Amino acid sequence: SSHGGYTVSLERTGFAVRAHEYYRPAVEELDLDLKPCQYELDLRPTEEDEAALRAYLERNCAPGETVETLLRREFVSIDADKVEYHALTPWREAKAGDVIGGYTQFYGDKQGSPYYVNRKRNIKLAMSLMDQTVIPSGTEYSFLENVGPVTSGKGYEVAGITGGAGSGIGGGICHTSTLMYQAALSLPFQITEREPHTDNGANYAPLEFDATVGVYSDLRFINTLPYDVKMEAKLYPETGAITVMFVCMETVDSEILADWDGSALDIQWE
């Protein structure tokens, strides 16, 4: 390529999109133990459970579908010079300016057709409103209070809505709230409010790792760390990627960090 021949191969999270429709009944019927990996929010069954899942899909998949297409992994190649690398520092070892958590997703160039152009605009607006937000230690962050109101007056447009709800103002912003939720799970924040789209989740996130926002739902979490954090939200149109990162805002004494369990904060734990 024009970039020296170097590319980065990134694996998309979860199984193929259609497989999401089978997760819930498969988990309930087979009592599968699907858990996220330690380093990525990606559902990977054990070999024994994968064999059971394959057998289930063979019995239940729709005409024209095969188990292999449902379980295939998807990869995306990106020119290396278009990828930014951010080494994560464990939060107990962080100093001011260190990136301590985050997550990246692909928002899909044509996803949400026929309103995909509006969907991309909504995602771009939401990401801009998330970017550079400081969350003080011990305080609760609300997605809707910071990114909303989701109205045309705010700049949001009509686009497709995940979960079979057709289209509406702000379609696509749930992709950003889901991304924020996944990034928040990389740290010991307390999630105080989060709702899935449907029992089958969203097709851009592993089951149980999506977060819908709207009239009756919000994404909220408390910064339980002993220092303020800054949220950085970036959109890369050339690669179709969106990233949320959390950055340590101050250097705290190492002895405080070593013993920190959040009990010093005035938080009503559930």
Side-chain angles (χ1 to χ4, degrees), residues 3-24:
H3 305 284
Y6 292 100
T7 61
V8 178
S9 184
L10 302 176
E11 186 173 9
R12 293 183 186 272
T13 58
F15 293 121
V17 170
R18 281 281 292 146
H20 282 264
E21 299 180 22
Y22 298 99
Y23 279 149
R24 179 71 64 176

Side-chain angles (χ1 to χ4, degrees), residues 1-224:
S1 72
S2 60
H3 305 284
Y6 292 100
T7 61
V8 178
S9 184
L10 302 176
E11 186 173 9
R12 293 183 186 272
T13 58
F15 293 121
V17 170
R18 281 281 292 146
H20 282 264
E21 299 180 22
Y22 298 99
Y23 279 149
R24 179 71 64 176
V27 169
E28 292 179 351
E29 179 177 322
L30 303 175
D31 192 27
L32 297 184
D33 186 24
L34 299 178
K35 295 181 178 179
C37 294
Q38 182 177 1
Y39 299 109
E40 61 177 338
L41 297 177
D42 190 5
L43 297 174
R44 297 175 185 269
T46 63
E47 290 185 5
E48 180 179 351
D49 282 349
E50 182 168 357
L53 180 59
R54 285 178 175 271
Y56 177 89
L57 293 176
E58 288 176 352
R59 297 193 305 270
N60 294 279
C61 62
E65 291 182 328
T66 67
V67 174
E68 292 307 318
T69 57
L70 287 171
L71 295 182
R72 74 180 185 276
R73 315 297 301 185
E74 297 182 0
F75 291 83
V76 177
S77 292
I78 298 176
D79 293 326
D81 66 348
K82 294 183 179 179
V83 178
E84 291 186 18
Y85 297 94
H86 298 275
L88 299 183
T89 301
W91 67 268
R92 290 188 188 274
E93 303 172 13
K95 295 179 173 57
D98 288 342
V99 178
I100 56 174
Y103 201 73
T104 295
Q105 277 206 4
F106 295 90
Y107 60 85
D109 185 56
K110 299 293 185 181
Q111 190 167 345
S113 295
Y115 299 104
Y116 65 88
V117 173
N118 291 357
R119 183 177 187 275
K120 289 194 291 185
R121 289 172 181 162
N122 291 339
I123 289 175
K124 182 178 180 180
L125 175 58
M127 293 289 286
S128 69
L129 295 171
M130 292 157 51
D131 190 37
Q132 304 302 308
T133 301
V134 175
I135 309 172
S137 175
T139 64
E140 184 181 54
Y141 174 90
S142 162
F143 181 92
L144 290 179
E145 289 179 5
N146 287 271
V147 179
V150 186
T151 63
S152 57
K154 187 78 170 181
Y156 292 107
E157 302 182 40
V158 174
I161 297 175
T162 299
S167 59
I169 297 292
I173 65 167
C174 288
H175 206 145
T176 64
S177 58
T178 291
L179 175 66
M180 184 187 297
Y181 174 58
Q182 293 171 330
L185 290 176
S186 67
L187 293 166
F189 293 156
Q190 182 189 16
I191 309 298
T192 52
E193 183 177 349
R194 169 259 170 187
E195 293 291 336
H197 286 79
T198 67
D199 285 348
N200 291 321
N203 60 14
Y204 46 73
L207 187 67
E208 305 294 356
F209 290 99
D210 65 307
T212 185
V213 290
V215 177
Y216 303 107
S217 57
D218 192 6
L219 173 64
R220 292 174 175 267
F221 59 87
I222 296 175
N223 173 14
T224 58

